Structures are given as structure tokens and as C-alpha cells.
Amino acid sequence: MRSASHPISTMVETFGTEKVGKAKILELISEHFDLRPGAFREYLRLHRPIFQKTAAYGHFGREDHDFTWERTDKAQALREAAGLGAAEAGVAA
């Protein structure tokens, strides 16, 4: 069996909170994120030994600069590509 470098499927669950269709969300993910394992690892800088920090107080909802998965640096580009303004996206201007 041969492995695939790109995901063979992507699932989005918004629990009814989406402002654009799920098909559009999947399209935006595909356009804005490289989900190949190596690229994902590099983008989030997951190769660094920060495991002790993540073990201490969990690894979600923290503002530590080492926790790259908490970044929102692509949010504005995604909003624009989806055709949403700040108000439509539910974001304070």
C-alpha cells in the first residue's frame, strides 16, 4: 500500500455556527493550509522539544509563543477569501 502525502479526506464540523457553507470552508482550508504531514509539522514548528511545557498545564487556550497551534495569523485572509467582513464573521472591528 502506498501512502499519500496529502490528506485523502478532510472533515469540518461547525455545529451549525458556520457563516459560509461547509463546502466553501473545505475549499478555503485546501487553499490556505498545506496539510501534508511534513509541511504541517514545519508550519507549526512541532519538531521543537516543548513537551514539558505542554504537559504542565495542557496545551490549548494558552498564549505562550511556543504554542504555535493557537495562532490566528490566517484568520483575516480566510475571512477575506470567504467574502466575510469583520462584522459578518462575528469579529469586533
Side-chain angles (χ1 to χ4, degrees):
M1 176 184 245
R2 231 177 143 188
S3 64
S5 63
H6 289 276
I8 55 173
S9 69
T10 305
M11 180 185 152
V12 171
E13 177 54 69
T14 65
F15 300 101
T17 62
E18 69 270 11
K19 305 289 185 197
V20 297
K22 289 182 183 176
K24 180 64 175 178
I25 294 171
L26 287 169
E27 179 185 316
L28 292 168
I29 290 169
S30 177
E31 290 174 6
H32 292 268
F33 296 94
D34 186 348
L35 298 180
R36 294 174 300 155
F40 197 70
R41 180 179 179 265
E42 191 64 34
Y43 176 72
L44 293 177
R45 300 177 43 212
L46 297 176
H47 55 280
R48 298 164 299 129
I50 60 169
F51 305 110
Q52 188 171 11
K53 285 174 103 174
T54 61
Y57 297 102
H59 52 277
F60 293 109
R62 295 180 50 190
E63 296 181 15
D64 188 308
H65 74 278
D66 282 334
F67 293 11
T68 54
W69 49 88
E70 294 286 348
R71 292 191 328 217
T72 59
D73 57 317
K74 292 190 180 233
Q76 186 59 39
L78 289 165
R79 267 188 225 101
E80 290 170 6
L84 298 175
E88 290 176 276
V91 176

